[in-house]
Amino acid sequence: MPGSIIMDKKVDVLINVFAKPYQTALSLLSLMRHSGRWIDRIWFVQDNPEGAAFAGRQFVLDLLPNIEFYEPVESRWIKHADLSRMGEEPYRHSLRYQYGWEKTDKDWALVVHNDINVKGDVVGRLLDAIPGHLAAGQVGMCWVCPAHHHGLCSSGRYLEYRPGLKEFLAIASDPKGTMLTDVVNYMVCPQLRRNPWPLPACRVNEWCALIDMARARPLTMPLGEVRPFGAYVFDGVMKEPGPGEAYKEFVNHLGIVYDIGVAWFRDMHHLGHTCAHVDLAPVLEHWWGVKTRYDDALYHQKELRARAVLEKEYGVRFSR
């Protein structure tokens, strides 16, 4: 039976929500249907409520009794974190997933996106895989990694391929496919220059990842030195524009902003911890909602798709 090795454990869910009320409802209702036996509380953070007002109310709040709702004092979206402010609780809680990370009393936390459709017991699958690891989920943004394009690395082999700086810059100079940024931005990153591994496209993907909180909590800010799981983190060199000066990327800013989970993943691996790669395709659909931020037609298409599933498979009724 999936998850049978830790049958007595309970899991809290960490989710940050921006708009997409139908997809949000489907994400949480499908998760509870298939993995509800593991789940206690859902730490639901409402990102940018003013900006999401067009989308309508998050009606899932009326459908599930185990939701703990929080609204941060500011919306950070993709702004990189100021790590010097980690002692300020309101600021810290504006980072993605951080409020639930600090409030949960569980040994296990499931981080999820609000654009998934769970088709099987995803929590049980992750619980089976996590023993011996700090986290479990799908590892790597391989679609933007030169090591993957060169056939040198993959999600299941990320612990084996550990290039030095010279080799990493060589493959990034000829990436053979889409890459996060131009190689010149990698060349000026102090952290990457010290140790390029784990590579900057490597993380446990947060659209559905299980974290061993008993081990991760004391190591992660504000209790430890590991950078927060939900922080975008800048690595590079930056010069503030002068008075009246327009911001120019290759003048004021050289480097990269690590995506969600990347800095945390790198820090934990430098401490000797690892993550289990788990193929979630058999039990979860990820609808890749980030593109809908910039495409209204696609946004409404996916919302209507989620609404149809809610009506057909979950019996949710909506006024026309």
Side-chain angles (χ1 to χ4, degrees), residues 1-300:
M1 179 182 297
S4 58
I5 55 175
I6 2 183
M7 282 291 289
D8 58 335
K9 299 298 181 184
K10 276 289 190 176
V11 175
D12 275 358
V13 175
L14 316 183
I15 184 170
N16 271 58
V17 172
F18 176 77
K20 297 184 284 191
Y22 295 112
Q23 291 175 79
T24 302
L26 179 58
S27 299
L28 293 179
L29 291 176
S30 64
L31 178 63
M32 291 302 298
R33 169 177 286 184
H34 294 285
S35 291
R37 65 191 181 116
W38 307 111
I39 294 169
D40 187 12
R41 287 179 290 183
I42 298 170
W43 297 93
F44 186 111
V45 176
Q46 173 69 70
D47 269 346
N48 192 10
E50 295 82 9
F54 71 91
R57 187 173 184 276
Q58 293 290 346
F59 60 87
V60 73
L61 297 172
D62 301 324
L63 301 180
L64 292 173
N66 57 333
I67 290 179
E68 302 284 346
F69 180 85
Y70 177 72
E71 199 170 281
V73 296
E74 64 175 292
S75 174
R76 298 212 53 76
W77 192 39
I78 58 172
K79 293 180 281 189
H80 63 266
D82 182 351
L83 298 178
S84 70
R85 297 182 64 186
M86 289 302 100
E88 304 173 30
E89 184 177 277
Y91 178 85
R92 198 173 63 245
H93 286 173
S94 71
L95 302 179
R96 205 171 297 183
Y97 313 118
Q98 188 67 24
Y99 180 77
W101 183 284
E102 294 184 29
K103 295 298 183 180
T104 180
D105 58 358
K106 303 299 183 298
D107 287 342
W108 310 94
L110 183 77
V111 179
V112 296
H113 272 192
N114 66 326
D115 56 2
I116 60 173
N117 183 15
V118 179
K119 311 291 284 186
D121 185 7
V122 66
V123 175
R125 192 179 187 93
L126 292 170
L127 284 168
D128 273 347
I130 202 171
H133 300 280
L134 196 69
Q138 292 181 277
V139 170
M141 297 180 286
C142 299
W143 59 93
V144 287
C145 181
H148 178 73
H149 300 326
H150 279 262
L152 299 169
C153 190
S154 64
S155 297
R157 294 188 292 145
Y158 84 93
L159 289 169
E160 302 166 18
Y161 181 65
R162 306 189 186 197
L165 179 64
K166 183 177 180 181
E167 182 179 351
F168 170 67
L169 292 178
I171 61 172
S173 298
D174 181 24
K176 307 293 187 187
T178 304
M179 194 167 66
L180 286 168
T181 187
D182 190 272
V183 68
V184 69
N185 277 325
Y186 288 143
M187 293 172 68
V188 300
C189 296
Q191 297 163 35
L192 282 182
R193 293 186 68 85
R194 283 194 298 272
N195 188 351
W197 186 88
L199 301 182
C202 212
R203 65 177 185 177
V204 59
N205 290 307
E206 90 281 11
W207 55 76
C208 190
L210 186 69
I211 313 293
D212 182 342
M213 294 299 294
R215 296 167 63 196
R217 184 188 290 111
L219 296 174
T220 306
M221 293 180 177
L223 301 179
E225 297 299 318
V226 172
R227 292 167 289 184
F229 182 89
Y232 289 97
V233 177
F234 177 73
D235 184 14
V237 292
M238 184 179 294
K239 182 185 76 171
E240 293 297 325
E245 180 185 359
Y247 175 84
K248 297 178 182 178
E249 181 177 2
F250 291 102
V251 174
N252 301 107
H253 166 189
L254 279 174
I256 60 172
V257 176
Y258 292 125
D259 207 335
I260 295 294
V262 172
W264 182 88
F265 187 90
R266 284 174 55 82
D267 290 350
M268 286 299 189
H269 280 75
H270 293 163
L271 292 175
H273 300 285
T274 59
C275 295
H277 170 63
V278 183
D279 180 13
L280 298 182
V283 292
L284 180 141
E285 296 174 350
H286 181 215
W287 290 6
W288 293 91
V290 67
K291 293 180 180 179
T292 66
R293 290 181 182 267
Y294 314 103
D295 186 330
D296 288 346
L298 183 61
Y299 174 88
H300 290 295

